[in-house]
Amino acid sequence: VAARGCGAVWRRARQRGAVGPGPGPSAFPRGHRAVACNARGGALSAGKSGVAPWIPVVGLEIHAQISSNSKLFSGSQVQFAAPPNSLVSFFDASLPGTLPVLNRRCVEAAVMTGLALNCSINKKSLFDRKHYFYADLPAGYQITQQRVPIAVNGSLSYSLCIDNKMNQMVTKTVRIKQIQLEQDSGKSLHDDTRSQTLVDLNRAGVGLMEVVMEPDMCCGEEAAAAVRELQLILQTLGSSQAVMAEGQLRVDANVSVHHPGEPYGVRTEVKNINSIRFLAKAVDYEIQRQIEELENGGTILNETRAFDSKLGCTVPMRDKEGKQDYRFMPEPNLPPLILYDAKSLPANMNHQQVINIDWIHERLPDLPSVKREKLVEQYGILPEHSFTLLNEDGLAEFFESVVKQTQMKPKKVIGWILNDLLSYLKQHSLTVKESPVSSFLLADLLNLLEKKEISSTAAKQVLAELWKGEGKTPLEIVKEQKLELLQDQKELEEICQAVIDGQENEVIMTVLG
Amino acid sequence: AALKDGLRSQVSAALKEGRVTPTELCQRCLALIKSTKFLNAYITVAEETALKQAEESEERYKRGQPLGILDGIPIAVKDNFNTAGIETTCASNMLKGYISPYNATVVQKLLDQGAVLLGKTNLDEFAMGSGSTDGVFGPVRNPWSYSKHYKEKSVPKSHSEDEESNWVITGGSSGGSAAAVSSFTCFAALGSDTGGSTRNPAARCGVVGLKPTYGLISRHGLIPLVNSMDVPGILTRCVDDAAVLLGSLAGHDPKDSTTVQDDFKPFELPKLTDVSKLSIGIPKEYHAPGLSSEILALWSKAADLFKNAGCKVVEVSLPHTHYSIVCYHVLCTAEVASNMARFDGLEYGHRSDRKESTESMYAATRREGFNDVVRGRILSGNYFLLKQNYEKYFVKAQKVRRLIANDFVKVFRSGVDVLLTPTTLTDAAPYTEFIQEDNRTRSAQDDILTQAANMAGLPAINVPTALSERGLPVGLQFIGRSFQEKQLLTVAKWFEKQVQFPMIQLEEVKRHDSGVFQQQKSAAFS
C-alpha cells in the first residue's frame, strides 16, 4: 500500500472530478493538473497558465493505542470489542476521590517508541489536564502531556516509489516533534432516532502515544508511506498493535498549501481517516480542494474536516462550540515522570520502581529498516522486495523459512514468494498466516523444481493443486498427475523414436525440407 | 471510661481490661449523637453498621486478639471521604444520596484496625468555607455555645435573644468533625485541611487538629478541593491521640502517587521535660490585621512560657505570608474548576431533568447541584485557566507559592525547630454575625494564619490553649518541618500539658447522659 509514488496525486485528482459527488465536476475540471509534488521533493507547477505553483504542506498527528494489559492510569483491562462498560474501573468512571496511578508498561512503550524514532527522551516529563465537556470523557478533562512530553525531536525515515515504479524508490525523512502519553476517551454512540447517546467507557483511559510529525510531507502518498513505516515500527516494537481498523492507530492530517517563498497557508485538520489508503486519498483531496478554493478566489478556513470515505472527500465537521479553550493546567495528582539512564541511575534504587532508558535501548528489536537491509544483504534480493516482504505481516519470516528449507537461491525463491504466494493471498484476501500452503510445502515444491524433477510450468500446476489445501505433498501431486521431468536419456530417446516412427510421412517431408 | 483521657493510656486499657466493651462505647456515643442532634454535626449516622463493627470488635477482645489501640474506638469521618455503603454527600445537592462503592484509604485503614465508624460529619459544601455554615444540610453549631463557660460569660443582649440566636459557629470546613469530637460523640474524627479546614474548627471547638505533611497520608478517596494542598486532617481531644491516629493512617499508598515512598514508623510521644534545646520561631507576619488583642496576648504568653522553660524563642520573618490568600484564591479556584468538571450528571450524582440537549442537561445539573460558593469558584477558576490568563494568574500564583514555601525553608534552615502562631484571628463568631459577610471574604480572613502551611505542605497542629473572655476556645498553632511530625507533636504535647485547657461542660447534654462527662477543673492559663 505504501510503496507508490507521488505521481498518483494528480492522476487521482483528475479522476475525482469524474467520480466524486462532493463539489462536482465543475470544481475539478478534467485534466486540470492543479498540483503535483514528486518524490524528489519540491513543488511542481501547473494550475491555470501563469499561476505560481503550489506547495502542499502536510503534517500528521497520530494516536497510537499502547499495547498493554491495563489502562494508562488504572488497573482495568484493555481489550477490543469487549461488552460495553465491562472494562471500567472507579477511576475510569471518574468516581470522586479516585486518583491516577501511572502504568509502567505504558511508559516503557513510549520510551521504546521514542528511541525507535530517534527522539531524545526527556528524563523528566509532566502531565497536564486538558478540559472539555463530552459524554465519553467522564472527568471533564483528559490527562495528557502538554508542557513537557516524554520524547521530543526525533525523525522517521520512510521510502516510497517514484511514479509508482517499484524500482525507483526514494527515502525521505519526517521530523518527529514529540511523543506524548495521554488517555484515550470512551466512545459515544448517538442514536438519533431515539435522540439519545449511549456511552461506552471501555476505551476511556486506555494509554495513547500521540506522535506529532512536523509538516515535512507534501502529498497523500508521502503521508501514507510515513504512517505505514510508523505502523511497522510500532508493531515490531510491540508498543502498539497499530491496527487502524480497530482504532489502535488514528491519524489526523494537517494540510495547507502556499506559493513558493510565501508563508504557509491556513491549514485545515482532516479527521476520521481510518485506513492508510484513505489517508492518501483524504490528504490529496484536501490539497486539491484548497488549491481550487484559492484559485477561485476563496479562502481557507482554519477548521476541522472529516474524511468521508464513501464520497471520497472531506467535509467540514460540525463543531457547535466553536473554538475550544482547553484551560490546560498541571495534573496535581501525578508527580513528574522521572526516567533514568545508566549514568543517572541512583545506586540504591529499587529496580522495580525505576525505568532505565539505556536498558530499554539495548533491548530494542531490529527495526524494519534494519531488517530490510539485512534481508538485502543476506539474500541478495532487491531493496524493493525487502519492502514488500516487511509490508505483509509474517511474509519475511515465511520467506526466510522457505529459504532455509530449500537449495534454491533466495533470489529465485523471492519470485515465488512475491509473484505466486503473495498474489494468491491478495486475490483471496488471506493473511500470510492463513496461507493454505505452508513454508514447508512450498520449500518442498521448490526443491523438486531445483532438482529438476519437475519443470517450472509443472511446479505452477502443483502449486495450484496445493492451494486447495487437501493435505497432499507436492511429490504426491507430481506422481498423481505424472508431471515428472524425464531424467533418463535412453528413455527419452525411446519416446522420441516412437513419436518419429509414428509420423513417418511428416518426418520425410521435414527431412526433404 | 474517662473520655477526656488518651486513647492509648485510658480507653484502650479499659477495653482490654473489660471495664467497658466496644458495644457499650458505641451505644453511648450513638446516644450522645442523638442527644446532641441540634449541633447538626453529623450528616449520616451509621448506627447499624457501627453496632455491627462494635460487636465484631467485642468478639476480638473476648478472644484476646484486639487489632490494636483503635480496636473498638468510635470515630467519625468528614463527609468528603468515600465510605463504601454509607452515603457520601460533601454536603452538596450534587452528591445527596450518593453511595460510594469504595472506602477512602484512610477510612479503610481505620476499619482495618478495628475502629467503629459512627457516621459522616457535616461540612461546608465540598469543603469550601471556613464556618461549616455553607452546606446543604445547614450550619453546624459549636458545642461551646451550650457550655457552662459561654453561658456564664456571654450575657444575652436582651432576654428575648435567647441562646437560639446566640450560638456560635464551629469554624470549618471540618466543623462537623470538630463538633463531634468536642461534644464527646466520638473519640477522634477525620477532617480535611486545604487552607486550614481542620485547624480552624479545631481551634474554635477546643480540640486538637493536626494537618500532617502533604504526602504523608493518602488522599485516595478524599473528594478533592485542591489536590496539591489537600491533606486528611486528624481531630482528637489530646495530642497523644493525634499521634495514635497519625500512626494508623500515615504511609505510602499505591493508590495515591503523591504519597511518599519512605516507610513511616508510628511513634509514641515522649514526655518532654527538657525543652531548652528547642528553638521556637515567632513569625512576625502572623501578627495580622484583625488579630484580637486577647489572642495576641495569649500568643505572647505562650512564647514566654517556652522562654521561661529555657527554650530559644526567636522572632522570624516569613515575608511572603500576606500574599498567600490571594495566591491561594487563584490556585484553589483553578483546581476547583478542574475537579468539579466531573460532576456532569452522567455517571453519578444529581442529574437534571432537562433533556433538550446534553449541554443543557450539563448546565442545569450543575446549577441545581452546586451552591453559589462552588459555582463562583468554578467560574473564577476557569477564568484564571483561560489561555490568555494562564500566565498572568495561574503561573504567577505558582511562583508566589514557591516563594511562600521558600520562606519556611529559610526559617527552618536558620535553626528554628517549630513555629508558634495563633490559629485564628478571633474566637468563634455567633452565626448571625458570621453570615453577614460572604463566604469568600470570610474564608480570606479565616485562612490567613493557616493557609501558608498548606502552600508549603508543612505539618501544623492546633492546640486548644485557653478560653476567651466570652468563654469560647482559642487555640495556638505549631508549624513544623516537613515530615517532622514527631518533633511537632512532642512540642505540642508539652505545651498542651502546660496550658491545661479546660474541659467543656455541656449542661443540657449532661442531663441526657450524666455518666459520661467527668468534671475537670479548668486551669487558669488565660
Side-chain angles (χ1 to χ4, degrees), chain B residues 26 47 51 58 85 107 131 186 241 249 260 270 340 353 407 473 480 485:
Chain B
C26 180
E47 186 165 346
L51 285 168
E58 200 156 328
V107 171
C186 64
D241 287 0
L249 298 174
V260 289
M340 295 293 146
D353 293 331
D407 280 353
E485 269 77 2

Side-chain angles (χ1 to χ4, degrees), chain B residues 195-257:
Chain B
S197 276
T198 290
R199 289 159 288 157
N200 175 292
R204 299 205 185 296
C205 293
V207 297
V208 170
L210 170 66
K211 169 223 171 297
T213 310
Y214 184 87
L216 186 60
I217 300 191
S218 169
R219 292 179 295 114
H220 172 254
L222 164 62
I223 298 178
L225 174 58
V226 184
N227 300 285
S228 63
M229 296 183 214
D230 289 342
V231 184
I234 294 167
L235 295 116
T236 54
R237 294 207 196 99
C238 62
V239 177
D240 269 326
D241 287 0
V244 170
L245 266 285
L246 183 72
S248 70
L249 298 174
H252 177 68
D253 179 8
K255 289 174 182 157
D256 177 357
S257 309

Side-chain angles (χ1 to χ4, degrees), chain B residues 27-54:
Chain B
Q27 280 167 341
R28 224 181 272 182
C29 286
L30 288 169
L32 266 175
I33 291 172
K34 277 184 193 131
S35 60
T36 57
K37 201 171 185 314
F38 59 91
L39 295 176
N40 203 18
Y42 289 78
I43 291 174
T44 305
V45 181
E47 186 165 346
E48 219 172 285
T49 52
L51 285 168
K52 196 163 161 276
Q53 287 161 0

Side-chain angles (χ1 to χ4, degrees), chain A residues 155-166:
Chain A
S155 64
L156 168 70
S157 290
Y158 60 95
S159 298
L160 67 165
C161 304
I162 299 165
D163 297 332
N164 209 14
K165 286 179 196 139
M166 275 303 282

Side-chain angles (χ1 to χ4, degrees), chain A residues 265-285:
Chain A
V266 175
R267 66 175 202 201
T268 59
E269 187 179 10
V270 185
K271 290 182 178 271
N272 263 14
I273 303 169
N274 41 34
S275 78
I276 288 181
R277 197 162 53 93
F278 289 153
L279 168 63
K281 275 191 178 183
V283 167
D284 288 341
Y285 176 90

Side-chain angles (χ1 to χ4, degrees), chain B residues 360-478:
Chain B
S360 66
M361 191 274 283
Y362 284 161
T365 294
R366 292 164 69 78
R367 189 179 56 248
E368 292 160 14
F370 295 137
N371 70 4
D372 288 350
V373 177
V374 178
R375 290 214 308 281
R377 290 202 193 182
I378 291 173
L379 191 64
S380 7
N382 277 322
Y383 175 81
F384 295 136
L385 288 178
L386 286 177
K387 207 174 174 188
Q388 78 259 25
N389 293 336
Y390 184 75
E391 290 284 326
K392 205 159 64 181
Y393 295 103
F394 190 84
V395 172
K396 206 184 267 180
Q398 276 188 315
K399 288 178 183 166
V400 175
R401 179 180 184 176
R402 171 67 64 192
L403 292 174
I404 292 168
N406 285 347
D407 280 353
F408 285 102
V409 171
K410 279 178 206 156
V411 163
F412 286 125
R413 207 176 278 157
S414 76
V416 167
D417 295 306
V418 171
L419 296 167
L420 171 64
T421 82
T423 311
T424 57
L425 296 173
T426 59
D427 59 1
Y431 176 71
T432 46
E433 206 175 287
F434 185 76
I435 55 169
Q436 299 301 311
E437 298 262 35
D438 67 78
N439 177 292
R440 194 160 70 91
T441 315
R442 288 176 337 231
S443 300
Q445 285 165 354
D446 292 337
D447 288 349
I448 199 150
L449 302 171
T450 47
Q451 221 296 299
N454 296 83
M455 290 277 185
L458 299 171
I461 187 170
N462 171 74
V463 180
T465 307
L467 294 183
S468 68
E469 285 158 13
R470 295 192 297 152
L472 292 173
V474 172
L476 291 178
Q477 171 179 239
F478 294 91

Side-chain angles (χ1 to χ4, degrees), chain B residues 111-176:
Chain B
L111 294 177
D112 288 347
Q113 291 168 78
V116 173
L117 175 57
L118 295 169
K120 306 293 289 293
T121 59
N122 206 346
L123 65 155
D124 291 296
E125 183 161 333
F126 283 100
M128 295 182 207
S130 58
S132 301
T133 52
D134 287 337
V136 75
F137 300 103
V140 186
R141 298 180 180 210
N142 193 324
W144 286 83
S145 315
Y146 307 94
S147 72
K148 203 171 141 216
H149 294 106
Y150 181 64
K151 280 184 177 170
E152 280 170 6
K153 291 187 179 175
S154 72
V155 186
K157 283 162 203 150
S158 70
H159 284 287
S160 63
E161 266 186 280
D162 57 357
E163 64 191 31
E164 241 337 275
S165 61
N166 231 7
W167 61 270
V168 299
I169 58 147
T170 53
S173 62
S174 312

Side-chain angles (χ1 to χ4, degrees), chain A residues 68-127:
Chain A
S68 162
N69 292 330
S70 56
K71 295 183 181 181
L72 182 55
F73 297 121
S74 80
S76 333
Q77 255 193 296
V78 177
Q79 198 187 309
F80 182 69
N85 294 312
S86 61
L87 310 172
V88 186
S89 70
F90 299 155
F91 173 79
D92 304 328
S94 81
L95 294 200
T98 52
L99 299 169
V101 179
L102 183 57
N103 179 345
R104 182 194 173 100
R105 155 69 194 162
C106 292
V107 177
E108 286 170 341
V111 171
M112 253 196 263
T113 307
L115 291 171
L117 296 177
N118 310 303
C119 292
S120 38
I121 307 296
N122 279 322
K123 296 224 183 80
K124 177 183 172 184
S125 61
L126 305 170
F127 290 97

